[in-house]
Amino acid sequence: MSITANWSYPTAIKFGAGRIKELADHCKSVGMKKPLLVTDRGLASMPITQGALDVLEAAGLGRAIFADVDPNPNDVNLAAGVKAFKDGGHDGVIAFGGGSGLDLGKAVAFMAGQTRPVWDFEDIGDWWTRASVEGIAPIIAVPTTAGTGSEVGRASVITNSETHTKKVIFHPKFLPAVTICDPELTVGMPKAITAGTGMDAFAHCLEAYSSPFYHPMSAGIALEGMRLVKEYLPRAFKDGTDIEARANMMSAAAMGAVAFQKGLGAIHSLSHPVGALYNTHHGTTNAVVMPAVLAFNRPAIEEKIAAAAAYLGISGGFDGFADYVVSLRAELGIPEKLSALGVGTDRIDEMAAMAIVDPTAGGNPVELTLDAAKALFHETI
Ligand SMILES: [Fe+2]
């Protein structure tokens, strides 16, 4: 393990119930006079979205919205969003929603200033330095779920509509200038989405904590993020109007994304191909494979997980922690097998080949070989 790393930490976060009312003030503080709110189709007509547009309009900032965004945002959505941004003469983006609205909004703000194709900025080496910085529009992020953490991240996941592969597009300027974390916006989330997105936040914390890279700041944040999920996800699941629980899950989600600068691992490596081929819910898929990956990683992380269990108030060390994950999953109504999400065994070879080259595989504490990935799919489907 090397004690050398490049660290950065996130942005101005305006946290608290009802703080969406400050949206126009924050637009003005970053120089936006004519913002474009980017969200997904499902959210476009929802009261929380219309409420945000009302705040903008009342402050003389208009109520422009672009919502032609698929659940897995792609390059076609992106081109249409950039066109809407330019045609409307906008000067900033409000990225609003779950992962899809946030990721596409951030990408629109970035691509508004570029002449090269978006794939030239994939998160490979120093490709991000190819970008022209001047034309990148400011971003305000407003999450409406508690899981992705994209509101504090410097990347977006965009699907290539020709190859059907998901690409991570990275630039430091993807980091929103301001993030408004208003837990009231998450109150209307359906139970299954609360469960799935919450388990995504837990997976981010668990995998970041377990990765072998040296990043003690992130390790600490990951540990406290797991504690918040343990205490508050069951409450948010049982009673969606429990604002204290919703708020703490929103914190846990942001903390998970901050923490995973330290790396992710095989939970995500397995989950990504499953999602790409079967369109399953990302966080739910993570939760299904989590116990098997935990057991697979045991030789490398047994002591670390025992320490986490002690911090979380779980007795029994590693075994106690593993039992806790299984019981949490059951409490949230998440199935034990991927077959319950519609995944078959016929594409295991293909998915295993995708898993071992997934960018997250390098952060797994035990090497994810092709045989190991196949075995994990056989075990979890
Ligand atoms: Fe995730």
PDB file of all heavy atoms in Angstrom, residues 147-148 200-201 203-204 260 264 268 272 282-283 286, ligand 1:
ATOM      1  N   GLY A 147     -29.109   8.235  -3.042  1.00  0.00           N
ATOM      2  CA  GLY A 147     -28.366   7.032  -3.383  1.00  0.00           C
ATOM      3  C   GLY A 147     -27.171   7.303  -4.273  1.00  0.00           C
ATOM      4  O   GLY A 147     -26.038   7.010  -3.904  1.00  0.00           O
ATOM      5  N   THR A 148     -27.416   7.911  -5.438  1.00  0.00           N
ATOM      6  CA  THR A 148     -26.361   8.049  -6.441  1.00  0.00           C
ATOM      7  C   THR A 148     -25.179   8.889  -5.960  1.00  0.00           C
ATOM      8  O   THR A 148     -24.028   8.578  -6.230  1.00  0.00           O
ATOM      9  CB  THR A 148     -26.947   8.657  -7.734  1.00  0.00           C
ATOM     10  OG1 THR A 148     -25.894   9.092  -8.554  1.00  0.00           O
ATOM     11  CG2 THR A 148     -27.839   9.844  -7.453  1.00  0.00           C
ATOM     12  N   ASP A 200     -27.729   1.433  -2.660  1.00  0.00           N
ATOM     13  CA  ASP A 200     -26.628   1.913  -3.504  1.00  0.00           C
ATOM     14  C   ASP A 200     -25.674   2.757  -2.653  1.00  0.00           C
ATOM     15  O   ASP A 200     -24.447   2.592  -2.722  1.00  0.00           O
ATOM     16  CB  ASP A 200     -27.177   2.725  -4.679  1.00  0.00           C
ATOM     17  CG  ASP A 200     -26.124   3.038  -5.729  1.00  0.00           C
ATOM     18  OD1 ASP A 200     -25.147   2.256  -5.850  1.00  0.00           O
ATOM     19  OD2 ASP A 200     -26.280   4.037  -6.450  1.00  0.00           O
ATOM     20  N   ALA A 201     -26.251   3.637  -1.836  1.00  0.00           N
ATOM     21  CA  ALA A 201     -25.411   4.455  -0.933  1.00  0.00           C
ATOM     22  C   ALA A 201     -24.599   3.552  -0.004  1.00  0.00           C
ATOM     23  O   ALA A 201     -23.404   3.779   0.220  1.00  0.00           O
ATOM     24  CB  ALA A 201     -26.286   5.414  -0.124  1.00  0.00           C
ATOM     25  N   ALA A 203     -23.700   0.455  -0.585  1.00  0.00           N
ATOM     26  CA  ALA A 203     -22.682  -0.229  -1.400  1.00  0.00           C
ATOM     27  C   ALA A 203     -21.491   0.689  -1.663  1.00  0.00           C
ATOM     28  O   ALA A 203     -20.336   0.248  -1.624  1.00  0.00           O
ATOM     29  CB  ALA A 203     -23.293  -0.709  -2.719  1.00  0.00           C
ATOM     30  N   HIS A 204     -21.763   1.978  -1.929  1.00  0.00           N
ATOM     31  CA  HIS A 204     -20.659   2.921  -2.157  1.00  0.00           C
ATOM     32  C   HIS A 204     -19.764   2.995  -0.918  1.00  0.00           C
ATOM     33  O   HIS A 204     -18.544   2.965  -1.011  1.00  0.00           O
ATOM     34  CB  HIS A 204     -21.202   4.314  -2.501  1.00  0.00           C
ATOM     35  CG  HIS A 204     -21.947   4.357  -3.801  1.00  0.00           C
ATOM     36  ND1 HIS A 204     -22.872   5.330  -4.111  1.00  0.00           N
ATOM     37  CD2 HIS A 204     -21.924   3.527  -4.874  1.00  0.00           C
ATOM     38  CE1 HIS A 204     -23.375   5.096  -5.306  1.00  0.00           C
ATOM     39  NE2 HIS A 204     -22.813   4.009  -5.794  1.00  0.00           N
ATOM     40  N   PHE A 260     -16.290   7.156  -2.429  1.00  0.00           N
ATOM     41  CA  PHE A 260     -15.826   6.238  -3.475  1.00  0.00           C
ATOM     42  C   PHE A 260     -14.758   6.818  -4.392  1.00  0.00           C
ATOM     43  O   PHE A 260     -14.318   6.154  -5.325  1.00  0.00           O
ATOM     44  CB  PHE A 260     -16.960   5.502  -4.184  1.00  0.00           C
ATOM     45  CG  PHE A 260     -17.810   6.223  -5.190  1.00  0.00           C
ATOM     46  CD1 PHE A 260     -17.272   6.822  -6.310  1.00  0.00           C
ATOM     47  CD2 PHE A 260     -19.191   6.208  -5.046  1.00  0.00           C
ATOM     48  CE1 PHE A 260     -18.083   7.420  -7.253  1.00  0.00           C
ATOM     49  CE2 PHE A 260     -20.015   6.810  -5.981  1.00  0.00           C
ATOM     50  CZ  PHE A 260     -19.457   7.431  -7.084  1.00  0.00           C
ATOM     51  N   LEU A 264     -14.300   1.621  -5.855  1.00  0.00           N
ATOM     52  CA  LEU A 264     -15.460   0.742  -5.677  1.00  0.00           C
ATOM     53  C   LEU A 264     -14.941  -0.671  -5.853  1.00  0.00           C
ATOM     54  O   LEU A 264     -13.744  -0.906  -5.816  1.00  0.00           O
ATOM     55  CB  LEU A 264     -16.575   1.111  -6.665  1.00  0.00           C
ATOM     56  CG  LEU A 264     -17.313   2.425  -6.362  1.00  0.00           C
ATOM     57  CD1 LEU A 264     -18.239   2.814  -7.503  1.00  0.00           C
ATOM     58  CD2 LEU A 264     -18.114   2.312  -5.059  1.00  0.00           C
ATOM     59  N   HIS A 268     -20.190  -3.459  -7.650  1.00  0.00           N
ATOM     60  CA  HIS A 268     -20.495  -2.633  -8.824  1.00  0.00           C
ATOM     61  C   HIS A 268     -20.036  -3.299 -10.129  1.00  0.00           C
ATOM     62  O   HIS A 268     -20.687  -3.155 -11.159  1.00  0.00           O
ATOM     63  CB  HIS A 268     -19.890  -1.235  -8.673  1.00  0.00           C
ATOM     64  CG  HIS A 268     -20.746  -0.308  -7.875  1.00  0.00           C
ATOM     65  ND1 HIS A 268     -20.805  -0.363  -6.503  1.00  0.00           N
ATOM     66  CD2 HIS A 268     -21.617   0.665  -8.245  1.00  0.00           C
ATOM     67  CE1 HIS A 268     -21.671   0.548  -6.064  1.00  0.00           C
ATOM     68  NE2 HIS A 268     -22.178   1.190  -7.105  1.00  0.00           N
ATOM     69  N   HIS A 272     -22.983  -3.662 -12.893  1.00  0.00           N
ATOM     70  CA  HIS A 272     -23.021  -2.873 -14.137  1.00  0.00           C
ATOM     71  C   HIS A 272     -23.423  -3.703 -15.357  1.00  0.00           C
ATOM     72  O   HIS A 272     -24.323  -3.296 -16.101  1.00  0.00           O
ATOM     73  CB  HIS A 272     -21.683  -2.153 -14.358  1.00  0.00           C
ATOM     74  CG  HIS A 272     -21.510  -0.978 -13.441  1.00  0.00           C
ATOM     75  ND1 HIS A 272     -20.263  -0.477 -13.102  1.00  0.00           N
ATOM     76  CD2 HIS A 272     -22.409  -0.205 -12.778  1.00  0.00           C
ATOM     77  CE1 HIS A 272     -20.423   0.558 -12.274  1.00  0.00           C
ATOM     78  NE2 HIS A 272     -21.705   0.736 -12.066  1.00  0.00           N
ATOM     79  N   HIS A 282     -30.190  -0.270 -10.483  1.00  0.00           N
ATOM     80  CA  HIS A 282     -28.775  -0.353 -10.088  1.00  0.00           C
ATOM     81  C   HIS A 282     -28.592  -0.689  -8.604  1.00  0.00           C
ATOM     82  O   HIS A 282     -27.882  -1.644  -8.252  1.00  0.00           O
ATOM     83  CB  HIS A 282     -28.080   0.967 -10.433  1.00  0.00           C
ATOM     84  CG  HIS A 282     -26.699   1.102  -9.882  1.00  0.00           C
ATOM     85  ND1 HIS A 282     -25.658   0.325 -10.330  1.00  0.00           N
ATOM     86  CD2 HIS A 282     -26.194   1.887  -8.893  1.00  0.00           C
ATOM     87  CE1 HIS A 282     -24.566   0.646  -9.649  1.00  0.00           C
ATOM     88  NE2 HIS A 282     -24.869   1.584  -8.780  1.00  0.00           N
ATOM     89  N   GLY A 283     -29.220   0.083  -7.737  1.00  0.00           N
ATOM     90  CA  GLY A 283     -29.012  -0.125  -6.300  1.00  0.00           C
ATOM     91  C   GLY A 283     -29.575  -1.455  -5.821  1.00  0.00           C
ATOM     92  O   GLY A 283     -28.987  -2.130  -4.959  1.00  0.00           O
ATOM     93  N   ASN A 286     -27.188  -4.145  -6.777  1.00  0.00           N
ATOM     94  CA  ASN A 286     -26.061  -4.142  -5.827  1.00  0.00           C
ATOM     95  C   ASN A 286     -26.413  -4.910  -4.564  1.00  0.00           C
ATOM     96  O   ASN A 286     -25.607  -5.693  -4.043  1.00  0.00           O
ATOM     97  CB  ASN A 286     -25.707  -2.708  -5.407  1.00  0.00           C
ATOM     98  CG  ASN A 286     -25.057  -1.907  -6.507  1.00  0.00           C
ATOM     99  OD1 ASN A 286     -24.594  -2.455  -7.497  1.00  0.00           O
ATOM    100  ND2 ASN A 286     -25.022  -0.603  -6.337  1.00  0.00           N
TER     101      ASN A 286
HETATM  102 FE    FE B   1     -23.636   2.752  -7.359  1.00  0.00          FE
END
